[in-house]
Amino acid sequence: MLNNGKCINEMEKKYPGVSAEHHEFLCKVKKRKRAVIITQVSLLVVFFAFWEIAARTKLVDTFLTSYPSQMWNLFLRLIADGSLYRHVAISTFETVVGFVAGTIFGTLIAILLWWSDFVSEVLDPYMVVLNALPKTALAPIIILWAGAGITGIIVTAMAVSIVVTILGVYGGFKEVDGDKIKMLQTFGATRLQILQKVIIPASIPTIVSAVKINVGLSWVGVIVGELMVSRAGIGYLIVYGSQVFRLDLVMTSVIILAILATVMYQGVAYLEKKLMKWR
C-alpha cells in the first residue's frame, strides 16, 4: 500500500493535470511492467541455474552442451586477450551496414513499385519467387560475385533482408486509405506530394515492422557469410569452435550473438517510439 501511495505521488508530479483514477491506472501499468521484467529475469536465472546443476551432476553431456560457468570463464578470457572486441566489432559493423543498406534500398524499390503500376506488374512474379526462395541458398553465389571478404558478407546480409522490406513496405503503401489520396488529387497534389504527405506517414508502422524483421534477417545473412568465408566475427567463432570440438566457444558465441541481436532490436524499438510520436 505504501509503495502504491508512493507511485501515485510520483505520477501526480509527472502528470499534474490528470485525474486520480488515471494516476492509479498508470501505477497499475507500471507495476505490471515491473512484474513482467522480474519474471523474465527469473526465468533466465532459473534456466542457467538448472543448466549448471545438470552439468555438475552429469545429467547432461558437457562435451555436447558445455555449461554456464565454463562459458563465463571463456567469456572473461576472450575479454582479457581483447579478441572478443574485434570479433564483435566486425560482426556488428557488417550487420549494421547490411541492415541499413537493405532497409534503404528495399524502401526505395517499394516506392518505385508504388509510383509505377507498370513496373509493379512486371516485377510482381519475380518478387514472389525471390521471397519464396531461401535467401541463404544464394549466399555462395553472392560471395563469389561480391568477393570473399567483408563486402561479400555485407551484400549477403543486404540480400537476405531487401526482399522482405520491399514486399512489406509496398504492401503497407497499398493499404493506405484511397479516399485520402483522391482528396489530395482533387486539390491538384502531385504524386510526390501524395507520397510525402499521405503514403509515407501512414505507412510508418509497416516500415518499422519491416525494419524489426530486418534486424534478425541481417544477422542471419552475416552469420551465414562468416560461416563460409570469414576469418573473424561471431560466425567465425561458431564454425571454428565446432571444427575443433570446443562447444564452450560455440555456445558462448551463440549467447553473445543473441545479446547483440537483442540490443539492436531494442534500438529499433526505441526508434519506433520516437517515430510514432512524430507521426
Side-chain angles (χ1 to χ4, degrees):
M1 194 72 180
L2 182 62
N3 289 335
N4 191 49
K6 183 179 179 182
C7 176
I8 291 176
N9 290 334
E10 291 177 357
M11 292 301 169
E12 288 176 348
K13 293 179 181 178
K14 192 173 182 180
Y15 305 101
V18 179
S19 65
E21 290 78 9
H22 193 65
H23 287 150
E24 188 174 351
F25 170 76
L26 292 174
C27 286
K28 289 181 180 179
V29 172
K30 184 178 180 181
K31 184 178 180 181
R32 180 178 176 82
K33 287 182 178 179
R34 187 178 300 167
V36 169
I37 293 173
I38 292 173
T39 304
Q40 290 173 337
V41 173
S42 300
L43 287 173
L44 201 60
V45 170
V46 169
F47 171 75
F48 282 108
F50 178 78
W51 187 359
E52 181 75 19
I53 294 171
R56 296 286 184 179
T57 56
K58 306 300 182 182
L59 291 176
V60 296
D61 188 350
T62 56
F63 177 76
L64 298 176
T65 63
S66 187
Y67 51 96
S69 60
Q70 185 182 31
M71 293 157 53
W72 176 251
N73 292 332
L74 175 61
F75 176 75
L76 294 178
R77 291 200 301 271
L78 291 174
I79 291 178
D81 63 22
S83 60
L84 181 62
Y85 300 112
R86 174 170 171 263
H87 292 297
V88 168
I90 289 173
S91 292
T92 303
F93 172 77
E94 293 166 345
T95 302
V96 170
V97 174
F99 165 76
V100 172
T103 301
I104 291 175
F105 284 115
T107 303
L108 291 176
I109 295 173
I111 291 173
L112 174 63
L113 295 178
W114 172 84
W115 194 282
S116 173
D117 292 335
F118 177 78
V119 174
S120 173
E121 291 176 8
V122 170
L123 296 183
D124 182 67
Y126 298 101
M127 290 292 103
V128 173
V129 171
L130 288 174
N131 188 48
L133 184 68
K135 313 303 182 298
T136 54
L138 298 175
I141 300 173
I142 294 172
I143 288 174
L144 284 175
W145 287 349
I150 290 181
T151 303
I153 295 171
I154 291 174
V155 174
T156 301
M158 183 182 71
V160 168
S161 62
I162 192 170
V163 177
V164 174
T165 303
I166 295 170
L167 295 177
V169 174
Y170 178 56
F173 287 172
K174 291 194 297 183
E175 293 297 323
V176 175
D177 189 357
D179 292 336
K180 294 180 180 179
I181 298 174
K182 290 178 181 179
M183 183 181 68
L184 287 181
Q185 289 173 338
T186 302
F187 286 102
T190 64
R191 201 158 181 79
L192 179 59
Q193 288 173 329
I194 293 173
L195 177 68
Q196 293 175 332
K197 303 298 182 181
V198 177
I199 301 298
I200 291 180
S203 302
I204 284 179
T206 304
I207 295 173
V208 172
S209 296
V211 169
K212 285 182 175 180
I213 296 172
N214 282 353
V215 171
L217 292 177
S218 298
W219 277 107
V220 169
V222 166
I223 297 302
V224 168
E226 289 181 346
L227 289 175
M228 296 179 62
V229 298
S230 181
R231 295 183 178 275
I234 304 300
Y236 167 77
L237 290 178
I238 293 173
V239 71
Y240 173 75
S242 63
Q243 288 174 344
V244 298
F245 298 101
R246 286 189 56 190
L247 271 297
D248 57 339
L249 181 57
V250 174
M251 299 300 294
T252 303
S253 301
V254 170
I255 291 176
I256 292 171
L257 175 62
I259 293 172
L260 293 173
T262 301
V263 170
M264 192 169 172
Y265 183 89
Q266 291 301 322
V268 172
Y270 176 79
L271 179 62
E272 177 186 16
K273 292 181 181 179
K274 296 296 183 181
L275 287 175
M276 293 306 292
K277 287 182 180 179
W278 169 78
R279 177 170 172 266

